[in-house]
Amino acid sequence: SLPAKLINGGIAGLIGVTCVFPIDLAKTRLQNQQNGQRMYSSLSDCLIKTIRSEGYFGMYRGAAVNLTLVTPEKAIKLAANDFFRHHLSKDGKKLTLLREMLAGCGAGTCQVIVTTPMEMLKIQLQDAGRIAAQKKLMAAQAQLSSSPAAAEPAVETRPTATQITRELLRSKGIAGLYKGLGATLLRDVPFSIVYFPLFANLNKLGQKDPNVKAPFYVSFLSGCVAGSTAAVAVNPCDVIKTRLQSLQRGVNEDTYSGILDCTKKIWQREGPTAFFKGAYCRALVIAPLFGIAQVVYFVGIAEFLLDMLPKHRA
């Protein structure tokens, strides 16, 4: 049922995000730093420095936005894929690969309604610590060199999601929350085209009977493999999306007018390898996130909860 699908998708998203959010924060910071003042050299370096400067909960900056919006996002993504698969199947027959990809394309297109503003707000909160740390470092270097700029230390600002939302709505309207929509579609549609067919076919390998669900560990491993593969495949689009959605820049960092401008500047100034910044972080985020999501979704926690309601009332 649709309510069960929505509940399953929501629970899956909440559990997954809670487990992997610090790695996602590191991914955003690694993708955003350019060839100027580089703050972090790797995933572990980023997490260690974040804990030292911002505390343990600094790794969860922006998590509240994600946890609030990931429920509708994952619910829409998983339910839409099922909806399109159902309507693209002919008399219940097995879907062709092309139809599986079309179903994934539909799911990816639907989810950006929630994904774009969620990513927009999350990125500002995740990257605020990097920019603040960079300003502190520049101030310290200025003091050592006896520069006049050392007279005024850098002031660290900590915007909240509510403040950012109000400012964007006031200055740019609803379009402000959908900055980077094209880049989000460019990332999420190909991701879903790769992910859903790959997961479905890997999951089928663990089914002894077509009418019986695969064991939970098969669904988990299939979600991990399909998720990490799709994540690495679309990482260049994720780098572009992250750069375009960042409202604040660090010292001597480029600004971009659109997808083509961003692609051109990254290629010319940072080289082709820059498009794979944070790729392993993204794979580490997506693999367990979608593994957990598919286990919850296919095990059907919601069906169990919904079945218990009449018994409880009785």
Side-chain angles (χ1 to χ4, degrees):
S1 66
L2 182 60
K5 288 177 181 178
L6 296 178
I7 294 170
N8 278 333
I11 294 171
L14 289 172
I15 295 171
V17 166
T18 303
C19 294
V20 301
F21 193 83
I23 304 174
D24 186 62
L25 179 137
K27 181 217 64 140
T28 298
R29 293 187 178 186
L30 288 170
Q31 285 182 341
N32 258 340
Q33 64 178 10
Q34 300 177 25
N35 284 335
Q37 189 71 51
R38 298 173 66 86
M39 298 297 302
Y40 316 108
S41 59
S42 64
L43 167 63
S44 57
D45 181 56
C46 180
L47 292 177
I48 290 168
K49 287 180 178 176
T50 299
I51 292 172
R52 285 176 180 171
S53 61
E54 302 170 55
Y56 174 78
F57 290 105
M59 294 192 299
Y60 282 88
R61 281 191 61 78
V65 173
N66 233 30
L67 289 170
T68 301
L69 296 178
V70 76
T71 299
E73 189 244 6
K74 283 289 176 288
I76 290 171
K77 188 186 188 84
L78 295 172
N81 181 65
D82 275 2
F83 173 82
F84 287 116
R85 287 178 70 90
H86 173 72
H87 285 278
L88 286 169
S89 63
K90 293 182 178 179
D91 301 322
K93 293 181 180 178
K94 181 181 177 182
L95 284 173
T96 62
L97 179 60
L98 178 60
R99 287 177 180 269
E100 287 184 328
M101 293 172 72
L102 285 172
C105 177
T109 303
C110 290
Q111 78 170 82
V112 297
I113 298 168
V114 177
T115 304
T116 305
M118 178 182 76
E119 291 276 314
M120 177 73 180
L121 295 171
K122 183 193 72 171
I123 286 170
Q124 315 316 315
L125 298 170
Q126 286 182 329
D127 205 37
R130 180 187 71 91
I131 294 171
Q134 191 183 77
K135 288 178 179 178
K136 283 183 179 178
L137 182 61
M138 295 296 289
Q141 290 174 348
Q143 286 179 349
L144 288 174
S145 61
S146 301
S147 168
E152 260 191 61
V155 178
E156 185 177 345
T157 57
R158 293 286 184 178
T160 65
T162 304
Q163 290 171 340
I164 295 169
T165 302
R166 284 176 180 171
E167 178 58 29
L168 286 171
L169 290 174
R170 185 190 64 80
S171 60
K172 299 180 181 179
I174 193 69
L177 290 173
Y178 280 86
K179 182 181 179 183
L181 174 62
T184 305
L185 280 167
L186 199 62
R187 180 197 68 171
D188 288 348
V189 171
F191 178 92
S192 295
I193 289 173
V194 173
Y195 172 78
F196 283 111
L198 183 56
F199 169 79
N201 286 283
L202 288 173
N203 198 52
K204 282 176 188 175
L205 296 176
Q207 290 180 280
K208 294 180 180 178
D209 186 323
N211 298 317
V212 179
K213 289 180 181 179
F216 78 92
Y217 61 86
V218 172
S219 293
F220 176 76
L221 291 174
S222 300
C224 288
V225 173
S228 57
T229 302
V232 173
V234 303
N235 196 75
C237 301
D238 189 56
V239 172
I240 294 168
K241 182 200 73 67
T242 301
R243 295 281 183 93
L244 289 175
Q245 287 189 320
S246 297
L247 298 176
Q248 290 188 315
R249 304 287 176 188
V251 180
N252 300 322
E253 291 184 343
D254 291 325
T255 56
Y256 311 103
S257 59
I259 295 173
L260 292 178
D261 180 55
C262 182
T263 305
K264 182 180 177 182
K265 285 180 178 177
I266 291 174
W267 183 277
Q268 290 178 342
R269 300 175 188 180
E270 301 175 59
T273 56
F275 289 105
F276 287 92
K277 282 183 176 181
Y280 64 98
C281 295
R282 183 162 163 75
L284 287 174
V285 168
I286 296 297
L289 181 61
F290 277 83
I292 293 167
Q294 292 295 2
V295 168
V296 173
Y297 196 67
F298 275 82
V299 167
I301 289 176
E303 286 87 342
F304 173 76
L305 294 174
L306 291 171
D307 286 344
M308 289 297 291
L309 284 176
K311 296 176 184 178
H312 180 70
R313 286 171 187 164

